[in-house]
Amino acid sequence: MDQKRLPYGTWDSPITVDLVAEGDGSPAHLGMVGQELWWTEPRPAEGGRRALIRRRPDGSTESVLPEPWNPRNRVLEYGGTPWVGTMTESGPLIVFSNYADQRLYRFEPDSGRAPEPLTPSPRFPAGLRWCDMVIDEGRGEVWAVVEDFLGERPTELRRLIAAVPLDGSAVADRTAVRPLTSDEYRFTTGPRVSADGKRAAWIVWNHPNMPWDETELRVAEITDSGAFSGERTIAGGDGESIVQVEWAPDGTLVFAGDRTGWWNLHRIDPDSGETGPFFERSTQEAEYGGPMWTLGKRWFQLLPRGEFAAIHGKGESRLGFFDGWAGGSTDYAPGPWTDWTGIIANDDWVYALGASPSSGYEIVSYDSLAGEVDGVFTEHVDKVDPTYYPVPEHRTFAGPNGREVHAHVYPPRNPDFAAPEGELPPYVIWVHGGPTSHVRAVLDLELAYFTSRGIGVAEVNYGGSTGYGREYRNRLREQWGVVDVEDCAAVARALADEGTADRARLAIRGGSAGGWTAAASLTSPASERLYACATIKYPILDLSNWRGDKTHDFESQYLESLIGPSLKVPGRYRERSPVNHAERITAPFILLQGLEDAICPPSQSEKLLAAVEGKGIPHAYRTYEGEQHGFRKASTIMDAVLAEHALYAQVFGFEGPERFELELEG
């Protein structure tokens, strides 16, 4: 079929905002209940809640928790593993945290009874939160991380590991909740219990460290009464980040730590302290772990015959199977998947979430004995012809002083259209959040919405991103608002210099920390007049008012490393904040903000609005009731995409989305 020639940005596409909203999010929190696989799935059309899915051995699946139940929690505000289960004589027993009240509930789906609370009502709304759990059947308890608010301020809290009775006795008697650890550490992960049930291991850290800066590996003996005894640190500290630990069958511990400059695998004897690489090639330049933004994540799993499975790689990730302590050979999971997350194991079976540039995350079952894929659950289904999907170009650009900047570049792609001869496409720089995070080259229908209409996208893994080792990650230390801005600008300029992008039609967009970089790029001399417009979602804009009690506890001291010690360099906080340089903004922008955001509250956006008032800068501010940090409701997702599309249409000079008006004030 001959392609029609129409200007970039005006192409018709079957990828609608309805499809974008419908495809938002992915399965998560895989777990085994006996021989059954369970997980959570997003439900944008149901107010953004998550459903709990059960897959029986015969392959049938069902959603076991109807509305309004929502297995999700707010520990660290980003959440942690929200459920755990075990198989009893009468069927599955599930314990989950419910988003509305943050309490733990007991649920037996085969009993016909509704979920029953296990924890008391909090003293403050949603002030007693739980995640990263393990069930102790013998003692009739569930052990979990608890985030206990002691006052109304967001930093007035403690975290520890506690035991909750499964009989519901703690609902009326708060003292029935049994502390297992002290609260001397500000942050903790859930316990990993040894095969013989006699020891526990977990990870802790303290402010001002973030978990990718420095953590400690703790162990303790478990007494006959179920108490932790002899609690001690056996690894970590001194600038090492440990992000996962598991017990090996022989009673040693395997952990992912970055003492080599990469999150590699190491082993340690908890008695002698003897430590070393877990296998001969485990100190390669590859990550076997990632940033702990949520609690309970797993990047590797030990298998019963001595083998292990691991998600690892440099930049992109692979699912590999290793032959055990010798580490002599490696097999990779066959199939089209180019990125992996969420690994779990059950005997010789491994389950993980795999995705690619042409498919969203699917649950893949792998038979490690046969060395083959056994099945694909939640299989990706193309709602449109895949020729409308963008194809990434993995690029490495030269940043200031020749430093490497990694990015995925997605040129416009639509089988029905081509641009007039000689026209260059508009391009949008997409900035990921975190900033200690990473963007993966997998199918994103929101991205495809734009590329299929003739708007190119470049996703930048700027300095500070994970996936490339600690040195690359540390580039952002005290340089937030500098390195990220410069790296994104370097990619944008390179695309224009090489004739890939229209220099006059460059834009930048991001949410959370990405919103910060987008806004900072409008006020920084390093990117002066580079971008024609910006989309800024739930951003950080005023550093002096985004620390301590002005944000949530997890990131309340994050700026100490991203910007510098606040007592030593207070001027740096003022100088880098976009709200203090509104006079430098010349490009139109839109602000998109959830009104219940506890991480980047609306006050951040409102400060920028006040700063630009009367300065003649075209802008729009759209707010969303019931949305927290990141958008989950279908209606919000659709409105946000349409608003962004309408901004580009007005600035770049093409027809905007039908039946949608975006009024830019200024």
Side-chain angles (χ1 to χ4, degrees):
M1 184 177 70
D2 292 336
Q3 290 182 309
K4 299 176 184 178
R5 287 199 174 270
L6 287 177
Y8 288 114
T10 65
W11 301 347
D12 292 330
S13 171
I15 301 175
T16 64
V17 288
D18 302 79
L19 287 180
V20 172
E22 183 182 331
D24 186 72
S26 68
H29 305 302
L30 307 183
M32 298 302 303
V33 182
Q35 296 302 310
E36 297 181 353
L37 179 67
W38 291 54
W39 65 88
T40 67
E41 284 185 355
R43 293 288 188 266
E46 298 176 9
R49 81 175 187 103
R50 294 195 72 89
L52 185 60
I53 309 299
R54 173 186 188 181
R55 186 179 192 275
R56 300 175 185 268
D58 64 6
S60 62
T61 62
E62 62 179 317
S63 176
V64 298
L65 281 173
E67 293 185 78
W69 297 106
N70 187 357
R72 181 175 157 226
N73 58 71
R74 291 176 55 187
V75 174
L76 307 186
E77 289 298 346
Y78 294 109
T81 302
W83 73 274
V84 67
T86 188
M87 190 63 73
T88 70
E89 291 183 359
S90 57
L93 167 62
I94 307 298
V95 176
F96 70 96
S97 57
N98 186 49
Y99 186 78
D101 57 10
Q102 294 297 298
R103 296 170 73 182
L104 281 184
Y105 285 80
R106 173 189 179 123
F107 179 46
E108 297 172 86
D110 293 348
S111 71
R113 296 191 301 270
E116 301 168 345
L118 291 179
T119 54
S121 296
R123 289 172 288 204
F124 303 94
L128 197 60
R129 307 171 181 178
W130 307 84
C131 77
D132 204 7
M133 299 161 272
V134 61
I135 290 177
D136 182 347
E137 293 184 68
R139 297 181 180 89
E141 297 176 325
V142 58
W143 296 357
V145 172
V146 57
E147 188 174 75
D148 182 11
F149 280 79
L150 308 174
E152 295 182 353
R153 293 184 292 113
T155 60
E156 198 172 354
L157 51 75
R158 62 174 187 159
R159 298 181 187 88
L160 64 152
I161 302 172
V164 177
L166 288 172
D167 62 8
S169 57
V171 172
D173 180 10
R174 190 184 178 100
T175 63
V177 175
R178 186 167 60 87
L180 295 173
T181 64
S182 69
D183 60 358
E184 63 179 298
Y185 290 91
R186 190 67 168 183
F187 303 94
T188 184
T189 64
R192 299 289 184 264
V193 179
S194 60
D196 60 10
K198 295 182 177 180
R199 287 181 169 179
W202 65 100
I203 297 167
V204 297
W205 69 97
N206 270 320
H207 277 145
N209 288 317
M210 299 299 284
W212 41 85
D213 295 327
E214 178 179 304
T215 63
E216 298 176 29
L217 172 56
R218 303 278 282 179
V219 296
E221 278 66 51
I222 301 174
T223 67
D224 291 341
S225 64
F228 284 11
S229 174
E231 184 177 325
R232 61 198 183 277
T233 293
I234 61 169
D238 297 323
E240 180 178 12
S241 164
I242 294 174
V243 294
Q244 183 186 346
V245 60
E246 303 292 341
W247 288 97
D250 66 354
T252 59
L253 286 163
V254 179
F255 63 90
D258 69 351
R259 59 183 57 179
T260 62
W262 298 78
W263 277 308
N264 292 159
L265 297 182
H266 307 271
R267 59 174 176 80
I268 187 168
D269 186 317
D271 295 316
S272 68
E274 180 185 354
T275 187
F278 178 49
F279 69 107
E280 61 184 22
R281 289 185 289 119
S282 66
T283 55
Q284 60 187 318
E285 290 190 351
E287 304 279 36
Y288 290 78
M292 269 201 295
W293 283 100
T294 60
L295 299 182
K297 293 190 70 172
R298 290 178 168 90
W299 292 269
F300 69 91
Q301 289 282 269
L302 306 180
L303 302 177
R305 294 182 296 111
E307 297 86 348
F308 71 97
I311 294 168
H312 67 293
K314 183 177 181 180
E316 304 308 302
S317 65
R318 295 182 291 179
L319 175 59
F321 299 85
F322 302 81
D323 70 353
W325 296 83
S329 63
T330 307
D331 293 322
Y332 293 102
W337 306 282
T338 58
D339 190 79
W340 296 86
T341 187
I343 187 173
I344 63 163
N346 183 49
D347 296 327
D348 292 304
W349 298 89
V350 173
Y351 304 89
L353 293 165
S356 76
S358 59
S359 63
Y361 283 101
E362 305 170 304
I363 300 175
V364 183
S365 170
Y366 191 91
D367 182 348
S368 65
L369 289 177
E372 60 187 25
V373 172
D374 179 67
V376 179
F377 318 139
T378 64
E379 188 171 0
H380 170 81
V381 176
D382 291 315
K383 299 296 180 66
V384 300
D385 188 327
T387 57
Y388 291 95
Y389 297 160
V391 177
E393 300 172 358
H394 305 288
R395 302 278 303 274
T396 301
F397 295 87
N401 302 314
R403 66 177 182 247
E404 291 185 342
V405 181
H406 303 289
H408 308 304
V409 178
Y410 295 88
R413 185 172 188 244
N414 187 312
D416 303 324
F417 295 95
E421 195 70 33
E423 183 186 358
L424 295 177
Y427 257 82
V428 184
I429 302 297
W430 280 31
V431 193
H432 68 68
T436 310
S437 187
H438 182 85
V439 65
R440 296 171 169 86
V442 300
L443 179 62
D444 181 342
L445 287 181
E446 184 176 1
L447 191 154
Y449 175 93
F450 292 103
T451 56
S452 63
R453 284 168 170 78
I455 302 171
V457 171
E459 295 183 306
V460 183
N461 278 318
Y462 50 86
S465 301
T466 51
Y468 305 97
R470 182 153 190 149
E471 183 179 350
Y472 194 89
R473 195 166 80 235
N474 282 349
R475 287 183 187 177
L476 212 57
R477 292 187 70 86
E478 300 196 13
Q479 295 298 309
W480 197 35
V482 179
V483 165
D484 50 327
V485 170
E486 291 176 344
D487 286 0
C488 288
V491 173
R493 289 195 178 98
L495 292 174
D497 290 345
E498 70 188 26
T500 297
D502 184 344
R503 189 180 302 275
R505 294 192 292 175
L506 296 172
I508 189 167
R509 65 97 83 168
S512 189
W516 153 269
T517 301
S521 295
L522 298 185
T523 62
S524 171
S527 51
E528 186 175 3
R529 297 187 180 275
L530 176 63
Y531 302 108
C533 60
T535 299
I536 303 167
K537 304 192 293 183
Y538 38 92
I540 301 154
L541 299 170
D542 180 5
L543 296 175
S544 297
N545 284 285
W546 196 76
R547 53 194 175 98
D549 289 328
K550 299 300 177 64
T551 185
H552 64 139
D553 182 66
F554 178 55
E555 295 180 89
S556 62
Q557 297 186 37
Y558 195 8
L559 298 182
E560 295 292 300
S561 60
L562 286 176
I563 303 299
S566 55
L567 295 178
K568 293 184 178 180
V569 291
R572 192 181 294 170
Y573 284 66
R574 294 189 297 271
E575 175 58 30
R576 293 202 193 153
S577 295
V579 296
N580 296 326
H581 302 289
E583 74 283 355
R584 298 178 186 172
I585 300 177
T586 60
F589 65 90
I590 57 172
L591 277 170
L592 308 175
Q593 179 70 53
L595 292 179
E596 295 182 10
D597 194 334
I599 297 171
C600 298
S603 59
Q604 287 280 320
S605 290
E606 291 161 3
K607 286 177 181 292
L608 183 60
L609 294 173
V612 301
E613 186 176 1
K615 289 184 167 57
I617 303 165
H619 66 277
Y621 182 45
R622 301 181 79 84
T623 60
Y624 304 101
E625 293 278 357
E627 290 286 10
Q628 299 87 41
H629 196 65
F631 302 149
R632 293 174 176 84
K633 295 181 179 180
S635 58
T636 303
I637 295 166
M638 291 189 288
D639 186 86
V641 172
L642 290 171
E644 184 174 355
H645 184 185
L647 173 69
Y648 301 149
Q650 291 191 39
V651 174
F652 296 154
F654 50 75
E655 192 77 18
E658 294 182 5
R659 297 183 296 278
F660 185 88
E661 295 292 332
L662 178 71
E663 184 178 349
L664 296 177
E665 303 176 2

